[in-house]
């Protein structure tokens, strides 16, 4: 866990969330599924002028109504039932749509709706009005699609399920003309296109929900997807987005999207302070004791460029991890970012975008003469990936920086080496022990899959190293991975599990291709196993395919 003293920004407690519920009323059309949306008042305190789904805060009366006046499915729990009541009530108050049925199964009609008081402060509670007309709230027709928790940086926050229900036949939505205006039926794809064009403003959760809803062909398909699984009803996804700055504008992301982990590391309380733009001119602070300087070598293989990490501070001096390619401007920037006070240079492996800058950087640091540490390249390394460490790092060896702050407080930053062969025979990772950070080199990347290129790369070793890193993260509570390419990765163990699953899924496709074409060659298997990868990337994929083929054959030969 990151030490609070190393966080860049003073903590600010996010605003507490309020319980709410929203409902997506759906219908089928010849053009596809449509959803009912409405425009919020321009003076609303939350999302003014935005097109939304009807919804609002959950009232105490909603729980009472859930217990007495609502129909339910056996798999709906009490909270889900209360949320459904709140969504039905809000849909009625805002748009005059009533998800309620008579005892004979008929949905409420225009006469029923006209007889009820839609005002939120009606003298008789909504559910009681329904009961007086013999109507039971049709909560059994309301399903949970998603669970959204408002972004931590916003001044008003809600904990809200996005529910779905089929629009009752014969009912016509009518806005209350105070909170909601202009109800309209719209296909998700059309709403998204109009939003992109600037004529249909929507907030982030609405956009993301419509993007996923657009994948369904019918209302039945949506409701089936939301049905109970293993006897339990749960949302298809849960998200509390995070926001950063991109080109000076706020940009929001869900869990699993590339910048999310970095935003969680730099601004754990959700403050909108961290710039996500990739640039190579200056080091980007991630913590008080960790900076990232990206080399100017973007490509299909390196993404935005190779990340050089600077660990330490003015009191302790610095360790540079992966100084990068032999680029004079990048090396000068590393020197300036450390004021030349580099105590050690560590290369995670020998590839040409990671280690060549080590010697030139060392030469610049005349006052400290930092040693170049790592693992020398094996005989299997390509000629372009030769590297000789001045000292070989032992597995588990610790590299410590120590000093005192101007106030006399002792400061220590300790990196521990973990040998992780696989991507390269001489690959290693580093753990910053005091802050629970894993520097993964090329073993784990954000946004792409590591190439395993035999003979220096070995798929068995790669997967074994993944397992080892997972065990380290589990034992030490490590939640953040700092890769050599891409943003910081959060939820470290989840990321490792997904990466391993992806590797094994790819291996299964390769094995299937080999079985289909037993007399084939890797060139024959490649189009079958990588049919989901752009053809321009196949030459690179062929390297990992060779590593998988070697592993498949090794496993087959070892089988009894």
């Amino acid at each position: 866990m990151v030490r609070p003293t190393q966080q860049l920004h003073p903590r600010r407690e996010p605003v507490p969330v309020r319980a709410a519920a929203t409902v997506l009323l759906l219908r089928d059309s010849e053009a596809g599924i449509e959803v009912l949306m409405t425009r919020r008042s321009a003076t609303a305190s939350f999302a003014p002028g935005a097109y939304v789904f009807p919804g609002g805060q959950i009232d105490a009366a909603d729980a009472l109504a859930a217990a007495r006046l609502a129909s339910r499915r056996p798999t709906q729990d009490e909270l889900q039932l209360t949320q459904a009541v709140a969504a039905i009530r809000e849909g009625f108050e805002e748009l005059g749509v009533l998800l309620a049925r008579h005892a004979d199964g008929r949905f409420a009609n225009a006469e029923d709706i006209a007889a009820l008081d839609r005002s939120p402060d009606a003298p008789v509670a909504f559910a009681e009005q329904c009961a007086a007309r013999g109507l039971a709230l049709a909560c059994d027709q309301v399903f949970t699609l998603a669970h959204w928790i408002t972004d931590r940086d916003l001044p008003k926050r809600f904990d809200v399920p996005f529910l779905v229900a089929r629009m009752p036949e014969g009912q016509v939505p009518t806005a209350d003309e105070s909170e909601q205006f202009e109800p309209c039926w719209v296909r998700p794809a059309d709403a998204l296109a109009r939003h992109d064009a600037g004529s249909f403003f929507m907030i982030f959760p609405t956009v993301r929900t419509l993007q996923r809803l657009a994948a369904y062909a019918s209302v039945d398909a949506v409701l089936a997807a939301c049905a109970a699984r293993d006897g339990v009803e749960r949302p298809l996804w849960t998200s509390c987005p995070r926001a950063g700055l991109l080109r000076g504008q706020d940009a929001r992301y869900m869990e699993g999207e590339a910048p999310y982990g970095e935003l969680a590391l730099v601004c754990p309380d959700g403050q909108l302070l961290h710039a996500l733009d990739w640039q190579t001119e200056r080091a980007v602070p991630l913590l008080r004791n960790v900076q990232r300087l990206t080399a100017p070598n973007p490509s299909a293989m390196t993404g935005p460029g190779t990340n050089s990490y600077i660990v330490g501070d003015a009191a302790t001096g610095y360790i540079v991890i992966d100084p990068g390619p032999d680029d004079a401007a990048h090396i000068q920037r590393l020197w300036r970012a450390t004021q030349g006070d580099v105590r050690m240079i560590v290369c995670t492996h020998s590839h040409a975008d990671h280690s060549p800058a080590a010697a030139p950087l060392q030469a610049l640091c005349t006052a400290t003469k930092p040693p170049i540490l790592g693992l020398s390249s094996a005989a299997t390394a390509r000629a372009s990936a030769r590297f000789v460490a001045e000292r070989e790092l032992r597995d588990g060896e610790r590299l410590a920086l120590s000093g005192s702050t101007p106030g006399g407080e002792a400061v220590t930053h300790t990196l521990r080496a973990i040998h992780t062969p696989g991507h390269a025979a001489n690959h290693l990772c580093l753990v910053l022990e005091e802050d629970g950070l894993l520097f993964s080199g090329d073993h784990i990347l954000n946004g792409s899959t590591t190439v395993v290129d035999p003979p220096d790369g070995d798929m068995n070793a790669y997967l074994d190293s993944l397992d080892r890193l997972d065990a380290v993260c589990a034992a030490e509570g490590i939640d953040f991975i700092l890769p050599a390419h891409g943003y910081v990765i959060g939820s470290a163990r989840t990321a490792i599990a997904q990466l391993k699953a992806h590797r094994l899924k790819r291996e299964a496709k390769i094995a299937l291709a080999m079985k289909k074409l037993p007399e084939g060659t890797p060139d024959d298997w490649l189009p079958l196993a990588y049919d989901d990868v752009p053809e321009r990337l196949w030459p690179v994929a062929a390297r990992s395919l060779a590593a998988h083929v070697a592993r498949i054959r090794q496993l087959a030969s070892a089988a009894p």
Side-chain angles (χ1 to χ4, degrees), residues 175-529:
D176 61 12
E177 300 296 328
S178 59
E179 291 187 34
Q180 305 293 352
F181 302 83
E182 302 174 12
C184 61
W185 288 99
V186 60
R187 292 174 58 246
D190 292 339
L192 293 167
R194 291 166 63 186
H195 172 74
D196 289 341
S199 61
F200 200 82
F201 169 62
M202 298 182 292
I203 59 175
F204 182 83
T206 308
V207 171
R208 284 289 199 261
T209 300
L210 289 176
Q211 287 172 345
R212 299 192 179 199
L213 190 64
Y216 294 94
S218 67
V219 177
D220 282 343
V222 176
L223 300 182
C226 299
R229 300 178 293 284
D230 301 322
V232 179
E233 296 191 26
R234 56 178 69 90
L236 300 186
W237 71 91
T238 296
S239 181
C240 181
R242 290 185 176 274
L245 297 168
L246 200 59
R247 295 180 293 277
Q249 302 295 317
D250 69 311
R252 299 186 182 271
Y253 301 92
M254 293 173 65
E255 296 80 351
E257 295 182 315
Y260 193 92
E262 182 157 321
L263 294 169
L265 173 66
V266 180
C267 298
D269 57 5
Q271 295 185 69
L272 182 55
L273 298 170
H274 186 59
L276 294 165
D277 308 270
W278 287 106
Q279 49 82 23
T280 62
E281 294 300 313
R282 60 192 176 279
V284 175
L286 300 173
L287 297 170
R288 292 186 183 277
N289 60 333
V290 179
Q291 303 174 68
R292 178 184 64 218
L293 181 63
T294 303
N297 62 334
S299 71
M301 293 293 292
T302 61
T306 302
N307 293 330
S308 299
Y309 289 101
I310 302 167
V311 176
D313 54 44
T316 63
Y318 301 89
I319 296 174
V320 173
I321 302 172
D322 283 337
D326 189 1
D327 181 279
H330 179 65
I331 295 165
Q332 282 285 342
R333 293 181 192 113
L334 283 171
W335 185 82
R336 287 198 299 269
T338 59
Q339 300 89 47
D341 190 11
V342 179
R343 306 298 176 89
M344 288 169 264
I345 300 170
V346 182
C347 297
T348 62
H349 61 296
S350 53
H351 288 171
D353 59 324
H354 289 257
S355 65
L361 178 61
Q362 180 191 56
L364 277 180
C365 299
T366 55
T368 56
K369 298 182 176 59
I372 298 172
L373 310 175
L375 297 174
S376 298
S377 53
T380 50
R382 295 176 181 269
S384 62
R386 301 292 184 192
F387 168 73
V388 178
E390 291 184 346
R391 185 167 67 77
E392 305 284 315
L393 284 177
R394 301 184 308 277
D395 188 39
E397 181 175 349
R398 288 176 168 85
L399 307 173
L401 295 170
S402 297
S404 299
T405 66
E409 183 180 351
V411 182
T412 302
H413 313 297
T414 308
L415 289 169
R416 185 176 80 252
I418 303 174
H419 290 188
T420 51
H423 172 63
N426 68 331
H427 197 285
L428 60 82
C429 296
L430 297 156
V431 170
L432 181 55
E433 292 186 329
E434 291 85 358
D435 297 299
L437 303 180
L438 172 64
F439 295 88
S440 64
D442 274 1
H443 204 82
I444 302 170
L445 307 176
N446 190 340
S448 61
T449 305
T450 301
V451 174
V452 179
D453 186 9
D456 201 49
D458 180 277
M459 191 59 72
N460 269 321
Y462 179 83
L463 293 171
D464 288 345
S465 293
L466 268 186
D467 288 340
R468 186 179 185 198
L469 291 177
D470 179 62
V472 169
C473 291
E476 301 181 32
I478 293 172
D479 202 37
F480 294 103
I481 299 172
L482 284 68
H485 304 281
Y487 296 113
V488 174
I489 302 167
S491 302
R493 296 197 66 202
T494 299
I496 292 171
Q498 291 173 342
L499 178 55
K500 183 175 181 180
H502 172 79
R503 282 293 191 187
L504 294 178
K505 183 178 179 181
R506 181 69 67 192
E507 186 165 287
K509 287 187 71 174
I510 294 169
L512 191 62
M514 294 171 69
K515 184 177 181 180
K516 185 175 182 179
L517 301 174
E519 303 302 320
T521 67
D523 287 342
D524 299 319
W525 303 325
L526 183 65
L528 299 177

Side-chain angles (χ1 to χ4, degrees), residues 3-173:
R3 290 171 287 182
T5 56
Q6 299 305 318
Q7 293 289 351
L8 293 173
H9 311 292
R11 180 169 176 78
R12 184 216 62 183
E13 196 65 33
V15 173
V17 296
R18 309 176 190 182
T22 286
V23 62
L24 284 69
L25 294 163
L26 307 176
R27 72 180 186 186
D28 292 310
S29 73
E30 291 184 1
I33 194 170
E34 293 181 334
V35 59
L36 181 59
M37 301 190 70
T38 180
R39 181 175 58 80
R40 286 182 61 79
S41 166
T43 60
S45 60
F46 184 81
Y51 280 87
V52 297
F53 315 117
Q57 292 190 59
I58 295 175
D59 294 340
D62 295 326
L64 296 175
R68 297 175 49 242
L69 303 170
S71 57
R72 68 188 300 176
R73 295 182 299 279
T75 50
Q76 274 178 304
D77 63 30
E78 297 303 322
L79 176 60
Q80 290 166 338
L81 193 63
T82 299
Q83 292 167 339
V85 170
I88 292 172
R89 175 181 54 75
E90 289 286 341
F92 176 68
E93 291 174 356
E94 294 181 350
L95 295 180
V97 175
L98 184 54
L99 286 167
R101 288 181 302 219
H102 290 279
D104 60 6
R106 291 178 296 112
F107 267 98
N109 57 29
E111 182 180 345
D112 295 316
I113 293 171
L116 304 181
D117 186 346
R118 288 173 55 182
S119 172
D121 54 0
V124 179
F126 162 68
E128 300 294 344
Q129 292 186 65
C130 291
R133 289 194 65 83
L135 294 166
L137 303 183
C139 294
D140 59 332
Q141 301 299 302
V142 180
F143 295 80
T144 304
L145 175 70
H147 177 198
W148 286 97
I149 303 164
T150 307
D151 317 32
R152 297 164 182 83
D153 64 298
L154 295 180
K156 183 176 282 191
R157 304 181 64 222
F158 298 96
D159 185 327
V160 53
F162 276 39
L163 309 176
V164 289
R166 187 186 298 275
M167 177 71 177
E169 290 187 12
Q171 294 190 23
V172 178

